[in-house]
Structures are given as structure tokens and as C-alpha cells.
Amino acid sequence: MQHEVIIIGGSYAGMAAGLQLARAKRRVLVIDAGERRNRFASTSHGFLTQDGVDPAEIAERARRQLLAYPTVEWLEGRAGTADGDLDDFTVHAAGKAHRGRRLILAFGVSDQLPDVPGLKQRWGRNVFHCPYCHGYEIGEAPIGVLATGAISMHQAMMLPDWGSTTFFTNGTFEPDADQQAALARRGVNVETQPVRALGGSGDMVTVELADGRSVALGGLFTAPSTRVAAPLAGQLGCDFDDGPLGAYIRVDALQMTSRAGIFACGDAAAMAGSVALAVGDGTRAGVAAHRSLMFPEFLAA
């Protein structure tokens, strides 16, 4: 059977896209590998009506609501390859070839974490990348920024709005004189000693420095590089843009890629993201895909 839309990636963006299509009574297949980017976090913040809720609970509730529509199918597995053209795409997953008239790429990104002992184990618990998602919960405790490159200067300038901030340059970024002055105006302490490891217990994380000192923090922020979580966009010939964290799929204002009939949404198609932004992008992608099915001339425009 040919589906009208195949959605690759069943996290927040993919399900938001699917919901619009399901409510338009279109036949939808969602292929999901079960690897949400925020699976390491116990709470999600900044999304209206869901602030402080376990992100797994948000995702599971969304899935139940989506699968209540009879035109939606869900396939657990990883999409291996994809090819084809408008009105006749093929996605290979779970040992089968699945055909669809439209594709929505919503498979997200994977974070390439700094190589610091102890960091991976604390990712999503007290080491984060987004202050809007996790800064408020740190309360009055001190905050750190672990540099990964020039983008970390932006993080260090932001974080004082959430608390007393120390910028650990860690040999990966050296602020120039103007940047030093800007950090001083924001009250940021710059620590140039290399970071040896992360430790701590409970809600606190301890930054262990090469000279033997330790700095206790309520939270540490860093900017990992990212890469799209599947090679399918490249296989399909979609164009990419370069962002400060990594390459992402190029889309227009309606989430259409450079290939006719292929849409992309969520973190794979944005410089940076959150649950709220992913849901908005997915909604746009689903509506645009539906519009293209109704009015094929929409794609040419």
C-alpha cells in the first residue's frame, strides 16, 4: 500500500506533523527509532501546559492521541535508506519497502558531547545545553559554562540572567580583550585552568580542575556540536545549511526542503530547538504536506 505521507521520526515534531495529517483523514506512516534527543532529561520546561512534565510522558501521551486516528500507522524501527521522487518515494525500514507520496523528515539530531570524564553520565541531569529549558530550576546556585568553541561566548553572556556564572574556557576558546570586557560587565568569572573531570552528587556538579581545585555548581551548560541523526536527507539530495552547532536541513518558511515533496521539521531542520519549537515546526510541516496533496501547484510556488 502506498501511504500519502511517511514521517521519519516519531518524536515531538514528527507527531505534531502527523496529527495535522491524521485530522485531515490522510494515510500516514510514522517510522520511529525511539531515540528522542531529550531522553536523558527527567523534566521538560518552557512548553505551555506541560511545564515540568517528564518528556517521556509528553511523548507517550502524544503517541496515544495520534494513534487514536484510524489512518495512522506506527512502525518501530530505523529507516535505513530512502529514494524516489514526488508522489513516489520509497523508505526501507524493518526489512520492508514503504512507499509514500510525501516525506516528512523529523529524525532530529544527535549531540556530540565534549570529551570530559563524567560529563556524559550527567547529561540532562545537571549538565545542559539550553538555559531556557533548565536554567530556572538551578535556583540561586552558581552556574558554569564549559567552552566548546566560539558559540560558548554567547552562552557565557546569557547565563548571568540565571545566576552567578563561571566560564571554563578549557583550552578551546580564548576571549579577546573586547570579549573579556563584555564578560566582566556581565559579572562572569573566567577560569582558564583545564577541566580534568566532572564529579559531584545529587543536584550539584563539581568541576575538577587540572591544578587540583574543585568548583561546585548547581548546573553546567555546554554547547555540543550536533549532526542529523540519519543520513536520509543526504541520500535524497536535500540541501543543508551550516549552523553554529552543525549542519541542518535547509527548509523554507513552510518547512519544505529543496526537494519537491519532502518536508523537514524539528531539530534536524533548525539551528537550535526545544520541545515547543519542534511542535510548532511539525505543525507547519504537516499542514504544508497536506496542502501539497490537495493542491500540487503549491509545490511549484
Side-chain angles (χ1 to χ4, degrees), residues 13-35:
M15 286 191 286
L19 184 60
Q20 312 312 310
L21 291 156
R23 293 185 57 76
K25 302 181 180 180
R26 296 291 181 158
R27 297 187 307 278
V28 178
L29 173 65
V30 180
I31 302 174
D32 182 53
E35 296 179 351

Side-chain angles (χ1 to χ4, degrees), residues 18-161:
L19 184 60
Q20 312 312 310
L21 291 156
R23 293 185 57 76
K25 302 181 180 180
R26 296 291 181 158
R27 297 187 307 278
V28 178
L29 173 65
V30 180
I31 302 174
D32 182 53
E35 296 179 351
R36 288 179 296 102
R37 186 185 184 188
N38 66 355
R39 62 191 181 275
F40 304 103
S42 60
T43 55
S44 173
H45 296 280
F47 184 18
L48 283 173
T49 76
Q50 304 297 317
D51 194 47
V53 178
D54 185 335
E57 181 181 337
I58 299 173
E60 180 55 34
R61 186 185 307 143
R63 175 173 164 164
R64 288 198 305 270
Q65 292 176 355
L66 179 60
L67 291 179
Y69 290 86
T71 59
V72 178
E73 295 181 40
W74 189 285
L75 175 63
E76 294 183 359
R78 189 176 303 277
T81 60
D83 53 44
D85 294 294
L86 178 66
D87 286 324
D88 190 18
F89 294 103
T90 301
V91 179
H92 299 270
K96 295 182 179 179
H98 307 273
R99 297 177 59 229
R101 295 181 59 194
R102 302 289 185 272
L103 296 181
I104 297 179
L105 309 180
F107 40 67
V109 298
S110 60
D111 292 298
Q112 312 303 298
L113 300 178
D115 186 18
V116 174
L119 188 149
K120 182 178 181 180
Q121 295 89 326
R122 291 168 174 78
W123 182 243
R125 182 159 58 90
N126 45 31
V127 180
F128 314 105
H129 76 283
C130 174
Y132 293 103
C133 301
H134 300 287
Y136 185 87
E137 282 62 43
I138 294 173
E140 301 303 316
I143 296 170
V145 173
L146 177 65
T148 57
I151 187 64
S152 301
M153 177 68 188
H154 176 66
Q155 278 189 317
M157 290 292 289
M158 291 178 64
L159 262 301
D161 272 20

Side-chain angles (χ1 to χ4, degrees), residues 187-260:
V188 177
N189 174 52
V190 178
E191 176 56 70
T192 60
Q193 275 289 315
V195 174
R196 186 177 62 192
L198 300 185
S201 60
D203 293 333
M204 300 297 288
V205 56
T206 301
V207 179
E208 300 173 5
L209 301 174
D211 64 4
R213 289 180 294 135
S214 295
V215 182
L217 304 167
L220 180 68
F221 289 82
T222 192
S225 61
T226 61
R227 64 185 180 197
V228 293
L232 304 180
Q235 293 173 6
L236 291 161
C238 298
D239 291 340
F240 284 75
D241 285 321
D242 289 323
L245 301 177
Y248 58 96
I249 304 167
R250 179 182 298 166
V251 294
D252 66 10
L254 294 176
Q255 307 301 135
M256 291 193 292
T257 72
S258 58
R259 286 288 317 279

